[in-house]
Amino acid sequence: MNLEALLASSLDGLMLGFLYGLMAMGLTLIFGVMKVINLAHGPVIMLGMFVLLVLQQGMGINPYLGLLAAMALGLVSGILIYFVALHRVINAPELTTLLATFAVNLMIIGLATVMFTTSSRSVDVNLGTLPLGPATLQGTRLAAVAVAVVVTVALYLFLYRSRIGKSIRAVANNRSAAELMGINSTWMLALSFGLGTMLAAVAGGLLSTLLSFTVLSGGVYETKSFVIVVLGGLGNPTGALIGGIVIGLLESVTTVYIPVSWVPVLEYVIFVLILLVAPAGLPEWFKNLRRSRS
């Protein structure tokens, strides 16, 4: 066993896992508050990537400053998507909202294909490397982890310490009771969708500093987000972060032992197993296990 390769892959997977966790938190936040499965999640991730690309190549703006624009675009586009595609069907059966977000998915990908074609693109950024024992850490990955942690902490403080965040949680727990307390549930739902898409756009922007991408790349990350969300439990942002780290480690560590092409197969085997054994997610499964033993 090559311990140096294993250590390097573990650190790499841990850093990638934080990004995956941030990416999946947007999806699980929307489901937790609105009970909507957002199939437009992937295209918004892709939009975050192209925002950084356009700002860097068209205006010479540093990609990390471009993240602010990606956040603003994600928030505003999410609120617009809610009012245009979801507001009128928010109380309809889940299949209706699923199809509404799928239609948005197709529209965004179609427009992006017209504008950017399907050619592979990349954001040019180099922050050097940092040697850590036998491993060498890329500066771009460290910067991506730092931004992901800051955004996650900011989201937590917003949801748990601010008045608006408490209103969003009240709407998530009981929309009717929240409305009786004077909370405008429509705007809280719109803001929740905006926050979810903002997280997706930021994650996409950060991923663009690490990997090349096309207008179709969002679909891959959207599918990965669903695996992570199921692993961490639907509607559980903390579980999404844990699930992201698990998938990130799995992707990196397993490549030490098996070909890279087998990694997606392994991920979806785990996805099916989690659905069969722990459909509420691993955190809930461990909680029930402790209760049964006490």
Side-chain angles (χ1 to χ4, degrees):
M1 179 185 296
N2 188 336
L3 289 178
E4 291 185 0
L6 184 61
L7 175 62
S9 296
S10 300
L11 290 173
D12 196 51
L14 186 63
M15 290 189 288
L16 194 59
F18 275 100
L19 278 190
Y20 285 169
L22 180 67
M23 176 178 74
M25 270 196 288
L27 193 66
T28 204
L29 175 68
I30 290 172
F31 183 83
V33 176
M34 308 169 65
K35 300 295 179 284
V36 169
I37 298 173
N38 180 22
L39 293 184
H41 191 69
V44 175
I45 292 173
M46 175 270 295
L47 280 182
M49 296 173 170
F50 276 91
V51 167
L52 264 66
L53 179 75
V54 170
L55 290 179
Q56 185 192 44
Q57 295 188 353
M59 305 174 69
I61 295 177
N62 185 291
Y64 294 103
L65 290 178
L67 283 173
L68 297 175
M71 290 176 70
L73 178 68
L75 181 64
V76 172
S77 63
I79 292 174
L80 285 175
I81 290 171
Y82 173 79
F83 280 114
V84 172
L86 289 172
H87 179 57
R88 291 180 181 276
V89 296
I90 193 64
N91 294 317
E94 290 181 358
L95 179 61
T96 305
T97 54
L98 187 78
L99 292 175
T101 57
F102 182 60
V104 175
N105 174 318
L106 295 178
M107 285 189 284
I108 294 175
I109 290 179
L111 287 172
T113 302
V114 171
M115 293 174 66
F116 302 109
T117 73
T118 55
S119 301
S120 179
R121 312 296 180 99
S122 62
V123 172
D124 184 20
V125 56
N126 184 3
L127 298 181
T129 58
L130 177 67
L132 183 66
T136 300
L137 305 180
Q138 293 182 14
T140 49
R141 299 215 169 205
L142 290 172
V145 170
V147 174
V149 170
V150 168
V151 173
T152 302
V153 172
L155 176 69
Y156 176 84
L157 292 176
F158 176 76
L159 290 177
Y160 286 88
R161 300 296 174 84
S162 73
R163 186 180 180 85
I164 297 177
K166 291 175 182 175
S167 297
I168 289 175
R169 289 167 52 217
V171 170
N173 289 331
N174 190 321
R175 195 184 309 171
S176 299
E179 288 172 349
L180 288 174
M181 298 297 291
I183 296 173
N184 188 328
S185 65
T186 298
W187 272 104
M188 291 303 109
L189 292 174
L191 182 59
S192 302
F193 201 88
L195 288 172
T197 54
M198 182 190 77
L199 293 173
V202 173
L206 291 172
L207 284 166
S208 73
T209 64
L210 309 179
L211 306 164
S212 59
F213 54 91
T214 71
V215 294
L216 303 176
S217 295
V220 176
Y221 294 114
E222 180 176 293
T223 308
K224 204 180 293 290
S225 295
F226 278 111
V227 176
I228 293 168
V229 165
V230 168
L231 197 64
L234 276 169
N236 183 350
T238 306
L241 185 62
I242 295 170
I245 292 173
V246 170
I247 292 297
L249 285 171
L250 183 75
E251 279 191 2
S252 295
V253 173
T254 51
T255 55
V256 178
Y257 305 99
I258 61 175
V260 176
S261 56
W262 279 95
V263 173
V265 178
L266 185 60
E267 284 180 353
Y268 293 117
V269 168
I270 292 174
F271 179 66
V272 173
L273 286 176
I274 292 296
L275 284 176
L276 292 174
V277 178
L282 283 183
E284 194 65 27
W285 184 78
F286 281 117
K287 194 182 295 181
N288 292 333
L289 188 65
R290 283 199 300 271
R291 284 175 187 161
S292 64
R293 289 182 175 178
S294 61

